[in-house]
Structures are given as structure tokens and as C-alpha cells.
């Protein structure tokens, strides 16, 4: 199977991530992004997914990413013990585990990550004590401020305050 077919049939579909896959295939167009700097904005045409291999070639929606966080933390993607290992910091002063930042955000334990590639920037956080996931996707990078992170914390605070 090709990577596209494998990812779709063995990963995205079984998890119900219907809007997640390799950019430019199926219902997932290759999007364009933008770069922003003080006094300038420029268009960044979509990079062909074959040049980005896995993570940089994947497209998703904020809804699917929020679902992904919940599925990952609740044993639907990997064994619970593997998730514990993934979210355990190697030393008290290092807030980064195996691919995730794990520390308190807004006074709650959280596992979170930012991602960026030419023209795109994202923030995804999961608060296990409240089972809240927040995903922010932007089609801008670089940008003059921490746009997705700031938006994500504002949304997370509103969600945490509503419970």
C-alpha cells in the first residue's frame, strides 16, 4: 500500500478522523499559507506532500485534532502505559517528554505541542483532568507573535472556566 492509502485505511478511518490525511488527496486539498513580518505579508504556495514525508504532509481540522488528543489520552491509539511513558518528563527541570510538552497550563496539567511549517502554525493542548482538548490552526508562519498559542490559551481558559 502507498503511504496515503495506509494512513487513510489503517489510521484515520478506524479512529474516525475523517478530515485527516495526506494533503492533496481525497477531500484534503493542498492549502496555501502565508508569512507575516512587520510591514510585510507573503503567500507561501502549498509544498508537495512527497517532499515532507509524514508530519509535514498531513492535513487535518481543529475538530479532528481535538478528537485525536482525546483518543490518544484515553487508550484508543496506544496502550495506556505507552501514553504514560510518552507524557512522563525525563527530568524535573525538563518540561518536554516524548514529543509533547507536559506541564501545567492555566493551573491544570496539560500535554501540548506547537507545530509549524512554511505558511502554517498550530497549537494543540489536552487537559486530562477536565478531558478538554483545544486545537488552533492558522495558515500563517512565520508571524510576529505566538498567535496559535495565545488563541489556544484564551479558548482553553474559557472552556476551563465553564466547567
Amino acid at each position: 500500500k502507498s503511504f496515503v492509502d495506509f494512513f487513510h485505511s489503517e489510521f484515520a478511518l478506524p479512529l474516525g478522523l475523517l478530515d485527516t490525511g495526506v494533503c492533496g488527496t481525497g477531500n484534503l486539498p493542498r492549502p496555501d499559507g502565508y508569512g507575516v513580518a512587520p510591514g510585510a505579508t507573503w503567500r507561501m504556495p502549498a509544498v508537495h506532500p512527497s517532499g515532507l514525508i509524514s508530519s509535514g504532509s498531513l492535513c487535518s481540522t481543529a475538530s479532528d485534532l481535538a478528537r485525536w488528543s482525546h483518543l490518544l489520552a484515553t487508550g484508543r491509539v496506544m496502550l495506556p502505559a505507552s501514553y504514560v511513558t510518552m507524557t512522563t518528563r525525563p527530568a524535573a527541570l525538563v518540561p518536554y517528554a516524548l514529543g509533547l510538552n507536559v506541564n501545567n497550563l492555566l493551573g491544570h496539567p496539560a500535554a501540548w505541542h506547537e507545530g509549524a511549517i512554511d505558511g502554517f502554525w498550530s497549537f494543540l493542548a489536552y487537559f486530562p483532568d477536565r478531558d478538554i482538548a483545544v486545537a488552533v490552526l492558522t495558515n500563517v508562519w512565520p508571524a510576529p507573535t505566538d498567535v496559535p498559542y495565545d488563541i489556544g490559551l484564551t479558548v482553553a481558559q474559557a472552556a476551563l472556566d465553564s466547567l
Side-chain angles (χ1 to χ4, degrees):
K1 282 186 179 181
S2 69
F3 175 71
V4 171
D5 291 339
F6 175 82
F7 188 89
H8 182 73
S9 67
E10 303 298 324
F11 186 80
L13 281 183
L15 292 173
L17 304 174
L18 303 181
D19 295 315
T20 299
V22 176
C23 303
T25 62
N27 64 333
L28 303 165
R30 284 192 355 231
D32 289 337
Y34 297 87
V36 177
T41 299
W42 61 95
R43 181 176 164 267
M44 294 185 169
V47 177
H48 192 277
S50 65
L52 302 172
I53 312 301
S54 59
S55 63
S57 70
L58 299 179
C59 287
S60 191
T61 60
S63 178
D64 267 11
L65 287 174
R67 178 175 169 76
W68 161 255
S69 288
H70 172 78
L71 293 169
L72 187 64
T74 59
R76 295 278 313 274
V77 177
M78 61 175 55
L79 294 172
S82 295
Y83 185 76
V84 168
T85 299
M86 182 180 174
T87 57
T88 299
R89 299 184 328 199
L93 299 177
V94 178
Y96 199 71
L98 295 174
L100 293 172
N101 293 290
V102 286
N103 53 12
N104 282 343
L105 287 180
L106 306 171
H108 295 270
W112 61 280
H113 188 70
E114 288 183 284
I117 191 166
D118 294 355
F120 302 93
W121 198 357
S122 64
F123 171 79
L124 178 61
Y126 181 70
F127 297 86
D129 66 334
R130 300 292 181 92
D131 193 26
I132 291 175
V134 174
V136 177
L137 303 174
T138 65
N139 65 333
V140 59
W141 185 79
T145 63
D146 288 340
V147 176
Y149 180 84
D150 294 340
I151 293 169
L153 289 186
T154 300
V155 171
Q157 187 66 67
L160 292 164
D161 289 348
S162 71
L163 295 177

